Amino acid sequence: MKEKIMIIGAAGQIGSELTVALREIYGSRRVFATDIKQASPEVMDGGPFQILDVMNDKMLIHFVIQNKITQIYHLAAVLSGNAEKFPTQAWRINMESLMNILEVARMVETVHRVFWPSSIAVFGPTTPHKNTPQLTVMEPTTVYGISKLAGERWCAYFNKKHDLDIRSIRYPGLISYKTEAGGGTTDYAVEVYFKANKNKRYECFISENTKMPFLFMPDAIDATIKLMQADRKYISIHSGYNIGGLTLAPIDFYHEIKRVIPEFEMTYKPDFREDIARTWPESIDGSTATKDWGFEVKYDLTAMTDIMFEEIRKKYGE
Ligand code: AKB
């Protein structure tokens, strides 16, 4: 089957890179990028791009029918930090947008597969903190986490009730150089590289030793594509797959960045995001994802740091 793929949230941190990767695989004309705002020139000029609001269900269904879309990647969301500032709006945006996608996928015959990102935020303070299992206690205490857990249950429901092939990953903090993250608790791990390069110093909003799980964006893109290309018979999880990654605290980034920029200095001023971070796991058991569809981590902290500085310096200089 010739796929026709729609990306919602193509201007975002994941969308901007996933769009390019999918266009390389499926051809630029077959990957339709959409967002409520303008995306990077690479995304907007590299294939079809349209301004589209996923909250507008009529516009959404019209687009999907008109372009005979076969797969949808719905990546738009309000992340953990911002969701705490605007709880009702975040709940509405995160949940209604997902419901719109599930309904469109159920109603439009051409759509045979959907990707929706979950997050490590589905876990909470009562979850085992280390090597968190796929199936475990889930009592999130953030608005974002509650919306992701509810979303996972809706995905599993649509799979069972309507046989919808919807796939999901519980992403850890993602580190990338193309598009900065926005409004998340793990964002410090992206900011620190940009600030280190520009100012040689960074004030971190997470305390020195608070560990969280992370992944370099190329590994996250690779995982997403692997999951979406896997034969349906191997998919055993219809909520969200745990994936393993790197367990890192701000102090680890500090030492690693000092290797490249010896004069780099980091200070700490933890804010409300520190409280969020403390409720999340520090490491994840991703063995089900590895068994079902071959998830693997290729980049460690050192390899990632070298690429981050190489790319940031290409764009902004030293
Ligand atoms: C956030 O920090 O909110 C996100 C996430 C872990 O889902 N990066």
Side-chain angles (χ1 to χ4, degrees):
M1 178 203 296
K2 288 236 171 194
E3 302 288 356
K4 292 184 94 184
I5 298 172
M6 176 180 187
I7 316 268
I8 293 157
Q13 195 200 9
I14 304 172
S16 59
E17 303 212 20
L18 192 60
T19 302
V20 175
L22 288 172
R23 281 180 177 156
E24 268 165 28
I25 297 170
Y26 294 97
S28 55
R29 306 302 310 162
R30 302 204 155 263
V31 179
F32 297 73
T34 72
D35 205 298
I36 44 167
K37 57 176 192 272
Q38 307 275 313
S40 64
E42 200 180 16
V43 167
M44 289 177 55
D45 304 338
F49 175 83
Q50 185 166 316
I51 296 286
L52 183 138
D53 184 357
V54 63
M55 302 295 280
N56 184 335
D57 56 348
K58 290 191 184 61
M59 199 176 163
L60 177 68
I61 198 162
H62 180 74
F63 186 92
V64 170
I65 292 173
Q66 195 185 34
N67 294 294
K68 300 189 175 60
I69 296 296
T70 62
Q71 293 189 20
I72 303 175
Y73 289 72
H74 170 31
L75 306 170
V78 181
L79 297 186
S80 56
N82 280 348
E84 291 306 300
K85 291 184 196 151
F86 309 103
T88 346
Q89 290 91 330
W91 174 259
R92 198 175 67 79
I93 292 168
N94 289 357
M95 295 317 299
E96 268 179 39
S97 65
L98 174 61
M99 295 312 283
N100 285 350
I101 294 296
L102 293 175
E103 276 299 86
V104 165
R106 179 178 72 81
M107 287 188 296
V108 182
E109 249 179 31
T110 55
V111 180
H112 71 95
R113 193 165 295 166
V114 175
F115 179 82
W116 172 78
S118 185
S119 161
I120 53 154
V122 292
F123 301 118
T126 51
T127 301
H129 204 58
K130 288 187 186 163
N131 207 24
T132 302
Q134 174 70 46
L135 200 59
T136 186
V137 178
M138 294 163 100
E139 294 186 318
T141 50
T142 62
V143 175
Y144 175 66
I146 299 169
S147 77
K148 287 294 178 188
L149 180 55
E152 282 196 5
R153 299 324 310 154
W154 275 111
C155 291
Y157 178 85
F158 268 71
N159 177 266
K160 190 160 184 266
K161 183 99 179 168
H162 304 295
D163 196 32
L164 188 66
D165 183 4
I166 170 149
R167 305 180 182 193
S168 179
I169 288 175
R170 292 171 179 157
Y171 287 125
L174 301 179
I175 301 172
S176 61
Y177 53 82
K178 277 199 185 168
T179 309
E180 288 190 50
T185 301
T186 57
D187 289 13
Y188 86 84
V190 180
E191 278 174 19
V192 68
Y193 285 104
F194 285 88
K195 292 276 162 55
N197 189 56
K198 193 170 169 214
N199 306 327
K200 319 286 175 238
R201 51 188 312 115
Y202 178 62
E203 184 171 84
C204 188
F205 57 78
I206 298 290
S207 30
E208 183 169 29
N209 291 309
T210 302
K211 291 181 183 154
M212 282 186 274
F214 288 95
L215 203 58
F216 192 31
M217 189 59 90
D219 276 336
I221 298 295
D222 188 48
T224 309
I225 293 173
K226 263 196 184 135
L227 169 62
M228 284 297 273
Q229 288 185 336
D231 194 313
R232 196 173 178 186
K233 67 174 184 267
Y234 297 118
I235 304 299
S236 67
I237 302 294
H238 303 289
S239 48
Y241 271 100
N242 272 11
I243 56 171
L246 314 170
T247 289
L248 299 168
I251 187 94
D252 301 315
F253 289 95
Y254 168 70
H255 288 306
E256 190 56 29
I257 291 173
K258 244 180 141 45
R259 178 180 61 83
V260 183
I261 305 175
E263 65 271 41
F264 175 61
E265 284 309 327
M266 188 143 147
T267 51
Y268 300 91
K269 197 177 173 197
D271 66 14
F272 70 101
R273 289 166 285 188
E274 168 70 14
D275 301 331
I276 298 178
R278 282 177 180 276
T279 71
W280 290 354
E282 63 174 53
S283 58
I284 302 283
D285 172 12
S287 54
T288 310
T290 302
K291 180 169 89 32
D292 284 5
W293 44 271
F295 169 72
E296 55 181 351
V297 182
K298 293 199 190 90
Y299 295 89
D300 63 11
L301 177 59
T302 303
M304 173 173 76
T305 300
D306 287 340
I307 298 173
M308 284 297 285
F309 281 121
E310 203 182 301
E311 294 298 331
I312 290 171
R313 286 168 175 176
K314 263 189 219 158
K315 202 165 163 190
Y316 299 105
E318 226 169 285

